[in-house]
Amino acid sequence: MIRTVLLSAALVSLSGCISVLQQPDAPDAFYRIGPMEPMHTLNATVTIREPEASRLFSGRSIAAEDETGALRILRGVQWTDNATEMMQGALLDSLSGSGPNAALPSNSSGPAQFELNWRLSEFTLYGGSARCRLDATLLSGRTRTVVAQTSVSTTAVGLDDTNAARAKALTDAGRACVSELASFISAETRKPADAAPAE
């Protein structure tokens, strides 16, 4: 009997503690980077890995840098999925190929002629401006030697100073980054065979 009373009291106490915890605010709007139109043609098979990024840039939160250099989470807006997963998906969308030529996610089976390793090194807001920076390395799929490297940097400006407009600007900057990277991959994989790695 005493044990039952003590257990009930503990549960009541615990429920009281839980009720005072602040629940996170639900975002007012969700944003995505893809889907994108296939605008760049491949002349080879390319494995596209998910880009590396810091924890803040790789998740669903949208970050803004203030005048002191501190990064803060933007309230009321969020990505629909992890930012790095969306960037990978958008890049796969942007690349088209015919026959055996295709862009493949890293979990696909079978070897590819090329492999892309990349890093999302900047994906933030600063005031009304959005900034995206990617650093990418194209490797030979068989020997894993470096074929080419590039850095892509883009910016976009929001229509106003609302968080919704700023998030849309970051979406635009991300899409522009992906499009430039897709153009780089297309150009490198379409080079003559003697300029490409031996397979």
Side-chain angles (χ1 to χ4, degrees):
M1 178 70 175
I2 293 174
R3 185 175 180 182
T4 303
V5 171
L6 290 174
L7 182 59
S8 298
L11 289 173
V12 169
S13 175
L14 182 60
S15 65
C17 291
I18 293 173
S19 65
V20 299
L21 293 177
Q22 184 178 3
Q23 296 297 318
D25 295 332
D28 298 323
F30 292 89
Y31 292 83
R32 59 183 181 171
I33 298 167
M36 293 181 66
E37 293 297 321
M39 299 184 66
H40 304 280
T41 305
L42 288 173
N43 197 36
T45 53
V46 184
T47 296
I48 305 295
R49 297 196 174 278
E50 183 177 340
E52 298 177 357
S54 70
R55 186 178 301 177
L56 185 60
F57 298 158
S58 65
R60 298 180 65 178
S61 298
I62 296 176
E65 183 178 349
D66 65 20
E67 60 278 0
T68 70
L71 292 171
R72 303 178 189 280
I73 301 301
L74 210 62
R75 293 182 180 276
V77 292
Q78 195 175 76
W79 298 121
T80 56
D81 292 297
N82 290 341
T84 49
E85 292 177 2
M86 289 194 300
M87 294 292 271
Q88 179 190 28
L91 184 55
L92 288 165
D93 289 344
S94 298
L95 294 164
S96 65
S98 58
N101 303 323
L104 306 169
S106 53
N107 58 0
S108 297
S109 60
Q113 292 169 272
F114 298 91
E115 178 182 316
L116 182 77
N117 287 345
W118 50 316
R119 184 172 186 274
L120 183 60
S121 54
E122 179 76 58
F123 201 42
T124 56
L125 294 159
Y126 185 81
S129 298
R131 305 175 298 192
C132 176
R133 179 183 169 90
L134 303 173
D135 302 300
T137 300
L138 190 65
L139 303 171
S140 163
R142 186 165 62 88
T143 65
R144 295 189 59 79
T145 56
V146 174
V147 175
Q149 293 180 303
T150 190
S151 291
V152 175
S153 182
T154 61
T155 59
V157 179
L159 295 177
D160 54 50
D161 60 357
T162 63
N163 285 353
R166 296 168 74 199
K168 175 62 169 61
L170 193 57
T171 299
D172 293 340
R175 291 170 65 91
C177 253
V178 165
S179 183
E180 286 194 29
L181 181 56
S183 178
F184 161 79
I185 295 168
S186 175
E188 291 298 327
T189 60
R190 293 179 67 82
K191 285 184 176 178
D194 59 353
E199 293 293 332

